[in-house]
Amino acid sequence: SSGRVPGQPGVNGDNIRCDWSPKADVIAFTSSRDGNQEIYVINADGSALRRLTTAAGSDANPTFSPEGDLIAFESNRDGTPEIYVMKADGSDQQRLTDFSAGPTPSNVSVTKATWSPTGDRLAFHRRVGPQGERGHLEVYTINADRSNPSQITVTASPGFSGFPSWAKWSAKTYR
């Protein structure tokens, strides 16, 4: 035995932040095997490794939609971290959020997207605060069609509200 995991060509780099497809056949994950963080998928049996993103910058934290047809992820490809969505095959990559006009804390982040059980909305956290200062995290939601971005927590600094999660076990309740 070579000691290698199936589907991994034995290159250096981190393989982190994975998410199972709801169809249970594919795992999406972040890897730095090609020099910067990109989104990959691999079959659940370890075969058919495929790179989905190729943009400059970091693409990370993939999360499948409830139907498994879309993947939300974070990227700084346009200069600041934002949430993007693509089809599960990597095509049709589109920016979902746009906070470029707002103040930018020194440690800016828009990350940790999570789909609603019905797939029509996403929640994520964003660092907020005055330009150039440390800032703190708040939770936001946005419709999957890019409409109605809304801050849903208001936390006094230096506290934070982050790492949102939907009650996935209740998906059938909403359908």
Side-chain angles (χ1 to χ4, degrees), residues 46-102:
S47 66
L49 177 69
R50 299 173 304 282
R51 181 175 170 176
L52 300 184
T53 59
T54 58
S58 174
D59 298 321
N61 292 322
T63 180
F64 280 99
S65 64
E67 298 296 323
D69 56 332
L70 299 171
I71 298 174
F73 63 100
E74 68 186 67
S75 179
N76 65 3
R77 63 181 61 185
D78 292 325
T80 59
E82 300 286 355
I83 303 296
Y84 286 73
V85 174
M86 64 181 159
K87 292 183 180 172
D89 66 3
S91 65
D92 198 24
Q93 297 179 20
Q94 296 186 22
R95 186 172 172 169
L96 185 68
T97 62
D98 186 355
F99 292 105
S100 61

Side-chain angles (χ1 to χ4, degrees), residues 1-85:
S1 167
S2 69
R4 292 187 181 154
V5 174
Q8 296 198 354
V11 298
N12 291 328
D14 294 328
N15 299 295
I16 57 176
R17 302 177 185 143
C18 63
D19 192 42
W20 278 92
S21 163
K23 299 174 183 177
D25 59 343
V26 176
I27 302 166
F29 64 98
T30 303
S31 180
S32 60
R33 67 184 61 221
D34 292 322
N36 68 323
Q37 291 185 327
E38 299 292 348
I39 307 295
Y40 288 78
V41 292
I42 192 167
N43 290 346
D45 66 3
S47 66
L49 177 69
R50 299 173 304 282
R51 181 175 170 176
L52 300 184
T53 59
T54 58
S58 174
D59 298 321
N61 292 322
T63 180
F64 280 99
S65 64
E67 298 296 323
D69 56 332
L70 299 171
I71 298 174
F73 63 100
E74 68 186 67
S75 179
N76 65 3
R77 63 181 61 185
D78 292 325
T80 59
E82 300 286 355
I83 303 296
Y84 286 73
V85 174

Side-chain angles (χ1 to χ4, degrees), residues 63-66 70-72 85 113-117 119 121-123 144 166 168:
T63 180
F64 280 99
S65 64
L70 299 171
I71 298 174
V85 174
T114 181
W115 292 89
S116 69
R121 298 174 70 204
L122 292 96
W166 297 88
K168 292 183 181 187

